Amino acid sequence: MHLSPLFSSCLELLNTRIILEEFFVSSLSKPLLKIDGRIGEGGGQILRTALALSLCTKTPFQIEQIRAKRKKPGLLAQHLTCVRAATQIGNAQVQGDELGSTTLRFEPGELQAGKFEFDIGTAGSTTLVLQAVLPALGLANAPSELLLHGGTHNPAAPTFDFLQHTLAPVLARIGLGLELSLERHGFYPAGGGRIRVKVTPCAGYSPLELVDRSPIRERSAHILLLNLPESLVRRESILLQPALGVEPELQQASGHGQANVVSIRLRSDELCETFTAFGDPRLRVEAITRGLIDLAMEYDRSGAPVGPHLADQLIVFMALAGEGRFRTSFATPHTKTAIEVCRLFLGRAPQLEKAGKTVMVVMG
């Protein structure tokens, strides 16, 4: 039968509409989860945790009041890159993915492994972009490789060194393999850094058990310097050397701009914890260094194996494993916020229990 061009066009439009409706119904096979972006610490942690859990559970969500408690609410470049990375990796449909947006609707499709490259375009944290997609890539059906451009050492974010020396070895204990390489440093505000991440997935995350810690057997200090006088290193070393009993290791960083980053690593038989401080022109380096030493020594005295910032990173993996426990020196607002978002997606979440002067995080 010969069909008129007009009838054929109408039929094609109808078929397209049916396909789109089928996709919409399929993507919403689970109810749309509504999230208030003001809960907990009211920042980007809510969005990143929601993206990670949405990809893993195929739960669509809508978040409103994104980063409502921040000086500049809404999606900044780093958060938008998180969304776009999750969209590509999760074959998702998304609305509201633009700078400054305070509302986002995210409907995940089938997770795909592969090679990906994402450029924040600013000094925004590459490690926080990784946080949004790593739990899902760790459960994919094949290995993946990511090339991330932006900041590699940012205040208020895990540094590349923290990922390499602290987080990756702990994730290996639950089954997730990470191979990390730093190709160029990126500091605020210049950016321009680049990290490469290779992910070896597992069939499911194993429970993590980190309750006790043996005495610290190795202490080290590391100073990254970029386009600043080495006199800063001498001033920092005067404090670091007697506190740790070792001379700090100096590395002249690659990249653009200026930077002074000091880190302390404390290694026990169970893991290596990393603590970091950033030079600030408004503060004397002595004050910054003393604060860093105090933070590391507080962790040492606590006897807890998991530092507060490592705890932030482990909540989603623990929730997805369904059981496990670890002890941390204290629970940060980021940890508590991640727990609340896990409860929204999974119906249950890790619990915080006092353990003397420390906190036990328990799942199952």
Side-chain angles (χ1 to χ4, degrees):
M1 179 186 295
H2 177 70
L3 300 177
S4 70
L6 178 60
F7 185 81
S8 296
S9 297
C10 290
L11 186 61
E12 185 177 340
L13 286 172
L14 179 61
N15 288 335
T16 301
R17 180 178 177 181
I18 291 172
I19 291 171
L20 289 173
E21 287 179 347
E22 286 177 347
F23 176 86
F24 183 76
V25 170
S26 173
S27 68
L28 290 180
S29 57
K30 290 188 177 182
L32 182 71
L33 181 64
K34 297 289 187 73
I35 301 175
D36 186 342
R38 297 170 294 184
I39 64 173
E41 50 90 42
Q45 181 72 42
I46 302 168
L47 174 68
R48 291 187 297 273
T49 306
L51 289 169
L53 290 169
S54 178
L55 291 174
C56 292
T57 64
K58 291 187 170 58
T59 302
F61 72 91
Q62 180 167 308
I63 180 172
E64 299 180 351
Q65 302 288 337
I66 296 172
R67 301 181 65 253
K69 295 182 180 179
R70 295 296 181 261
K71 189 177 294 186
K72 291 183 178 180
L75 298 177
L76 300 181
Q78 174 237 108
H79 312 102
L80 185 57
T81 306
C82 290
V83 172
R84 291 179 175 168
T87 299
Q88 185 173 338
I89 289 168
N91 287 297
Q93 295 293 305
V94 63
Q95 298 174 17
D97 56 331
E98 56 189 37
L99 286 173
S101 175
T102 57
T103 300
L104 181 83
R105 184 181 176 112
F106 186 85
E107 300 162 14
E110 288 299 317
L111 183 67
Q112 66 174 354
K115 288 191 174 184
F116 305 95
E117 184 171 357
F118 303 109
D119 189 344
I120 298 172
T122 69
S125 173
T126 53
T127 63
L128 290 182
V129 172
L130 181 63
Q131 187 184 81
V133 296
L134 182 58
L137 290 176
L139 298 175
N141 58 9
S144 294
E145 182 176 328
L146 297 92
L147 185 60
L148 304 173
H149 303 259
T152 62
H153 294 72
N154 299 61
T159 64
F160 174 85
D161 308 294
F162 173 88
L163 261 62
Q164 185 175 51
H165 297 283
T166 300
L167 182 62
V170 174
L171 293 183
R173 297 173 65 148
I174 66 171
L176 193 158
L178 275 185
E179 183 181 333
L180 299 150
S181 57
L182 176 65
E183 299 188 351
R184 186 168 59 236
H185 291 92
F187 303 102
Y188 180 83
R194 186 170 66 232
I195 67 172
R196 190 177 299 273
V197 184
K198 295 180 180 179
V199 183
T200 303
C202 56
Y205 296 124
S206 302
L208 179 66
E209 186 84 5
L210 268 176
V211 175
D212 299 313
R213 170 168 59 78
S214 57
I216 300 299
R217 58 179 173 81
E218 183 181 328
R219 295 169 169 81
S220 61
H222 308 266
I223 299 173
L224 271 176
L225 206 63
L226 177 63
N227 296 327
L228 287 171
E230 289 196 13
S231 58
L232 290 175
V233 177
R234 290 192 293 273
R235 292 165 63 187
E236 291 160 347
S237 297
I238 287 173
L239 298 172
L240 290 166
Q241 198 280 332
L244 301 175
V246 294
E247 283 289 339
E249 176 187 304
L250 171 63
Q251 179 184 359
Q252 292 288 351
S254 59
H256 306 286
Q258 295 180 323
N260 175 213
V261 184
V262 185
S263 62
I264 293 174
R265 295 181 203 148
L266 302 181
R267 187 177 298 276
S268 63
D269 291 338
E270 290 73 26
L271 76 166
C272 174
E273 259 296 358
T274 303
F275 303 89
T276 307
F278 291 79
D280 186 328
R282 297 167 297 181
L283 300 171
R284 288 179 57 80
V285 296
E286 287 80 5
I288 295 170
T289 306
R290 286 193 192 96
L292 177 64
I293 293 170
D294 289 345
L295 186 63
M297 294 304 103
E298 180 184 355
Y299 163 79
D300 190 4
R301 289 190 298 270
S302 77
V306 176
H309 300 306
L310 177 57
D312 298 344
Q313 308 300 312
L314 296 179
I315 294 300
V316 169
F317 295 100
M318 171 178 271
L320 291 169
E323 57 181 309
R325 58 181 185 153
F326 65 79
R327 190 160 60 96
T328 184
S329 43
F330 65 92
T332 71
H334 282 88
T335 292
K336 296 175 182 178
T337 299
I339 287 173
E340 288 306 308
V341 179
C342 285
R343 186 172 288 111
L344 290 174
F345 275 88
L346 304 174
R348 61 194 190 111
Q351 302 291 318
L352 301 178
E353 301 174 358
K354 289 292 292 181
K357 294 183 178 180
T358 61
V359 175
M360 191 77 76
V361 184
V362 181
M363 182 72 187

